[in-house]
Amino acid sequence: GIQVEQSPPDLILQEGANSTLRCNFSDSVNNLQWFHQNPWGQLINLFYIPSGTKQNGRLSATTVATERYSLLYISSSQTTDSGVYFCAVEETSGSRLTFGEGTQLTVNP
Amino acid sequence: DAGVIQSPRHEVTEMGQEVTLRCKPISGHDYLFWYRQTMMRGLELLIYFNNNVPIDDSGMPEDRFSAKMPNASFSTLKIQPSEPRDSAVYFCASRRGGTLNNYGYTFGSGTRLTVV
């Protein structure tokens, strides 16, 4: 099956700092999503981004499908950004999301 | 739309008891997925349905686990008998099929299961 690798595994920031999270995947995909799992365990869909660039407030994402990677940018981070960020992909050959292991983000005040 | 609705939010049960988790997908979504999240294995797919029909149950850990989707608005995941190693957060997700899917998968809030 497809492999999804996220980096870094852990990230600690001071409030106001910017960060970039990376997701590499091993095969062609139909779908790529970024999720934020908040401290209450909810999986919040941030972006549906199989290709191209999208922005939503302080967050933006870029997927370069031909090179099999995606980036999530967080600018002016806030303590509420803390949690685990997951990248998940859907292979062209199937109808399922395969998740990476996540990046644990801690934003300190 | 209220999103994907799961119940209960938390379940604590004794080993050997039957556990039933419930999910209501988003109206109009024709795919439904059950995922399990543990510290050791991360988020893994258990089973998914398309138009109420089970398509792939290869992720179901063993015969103690079963899932049904009797209609387009309801699915259950049952564990009988439950064991402590089944303790995890179980997520249900749904999505539209084909070219109508412009938003990807939507996840419910999960059911945190503890088997003691």
Side-chain angles (χ1 to χ4, degrees):
Chain A
I2 195 167
Q3 304 300 310
V4 182
E5 295 182 356
Q6 291 187 242
S7 60
D10 298 280
L11 187 58
I12 300 175
L13 301 174
Q14 286 299 122
E15 202 167 24
N18 302 328
S19 62
T20 301
L21 282 57
R22 186 176 180 102
C23 173
N24 293 331
F25 43 96
S26 61
D27 207 343
S28 300
V29 298
N30 284 331
N31 174 16
L32 186 146
Q33 287 181 250
W34 284 96
F35 294 89
H36 175 216
Q37 188 164 38
N38 62 24
W40 295 270
Q42 294 176 306
L43 279 168
I44 309 300
N45 183 23
L46 298 176
F47 293 103
Y48 168 76
I49 186 165
S51 63
T53 297
K54 291 185 178 180
Q55 179 152 8
N56 184 3
R58 296 181 296 103
L59 274 59
S60 64
T62 295
T63 297
V64 184
T66 53
E67 297 188 20
R68 298 180 183 168
Y69 74 89
S70 183
L71 303 174
L72 177 69
Y73 305 95
I74 304 174
S75 64
S76 303
S77 57
Q78 300 176 359
T79 56
T80 52
D81 295 332
S82 296
V84 183
Y85 288 80
F86 288 102
C87 170
V89 302
E90 181 186 80
E91 300 175 66
T92 54
S93 60
S95 295
R96 68 185 66 204
L97 275 184
T98 299
F99 283 79
E101 295 191 350
T103 292
Q104 173 77 57
L105 175 65
T106 303
V107 181
N108 293 321
Chain B
D1 200 314
V4 177
I5 307 296
Q6 290 188 245
S7 65
R9 289 297 309 275
H10 303 274
E11 177 81 34
V12 180
T13 191
E14 292 185 348
M15 182 173 62
Q17 295 298 306
E18 178 179 293
V19 176
T20 299
L21 312 181
R22 297 172 176 79
C23 175
K24 175 179 168 53
I26 291 174
S27 177
H29 283 196
D30 45 9
Y31 283 84
L32 183 141
F33 305 81
W34 284 99
Y35 281 82
R36 179 172 68 175
Q37 185 177 30
T38 61
M39 289 294 293
M40 292 298 294
R41 299 174 66 89
L43 277 151
E44 53 181 346
L45 177 69
L46 299 178
I47 185 172
Y48 78 91
F49 296 82
N50 178 214
N51 292 322
N52 313 337
V53 177
I55 302 301
D56 185 348
D57 65 354
S58 59
M60 298 285 263
E62 47 197 276
D63 292 345
R64 298 184 297 106
F65 286 69
S66 63
K68 295 182 179 179
M69 192 165 185
N71 57 62
S73 59
F74 183 65
S75 177
T76 59
L77 178 67
K78 187 176 293 186
I79 308 172
Q80 166 63 19
S82 58
E83 296 182 2
R85 59 192 168 123
D86 301 331
S87 298
V89 180
Y90 291 81
F91 287 99
C92 177
S94 69
R95 71 166 177 85
R96 289 183 186 274
T99 57
L100 296 175
N101 181 29
N102 295 323
Y103 300 97
Y105 295 58
T106 301
F107 280 74
S109 296
T111 295
R112 183 174 297 276
L113 174 65
T114 303
V115 184
V116 298

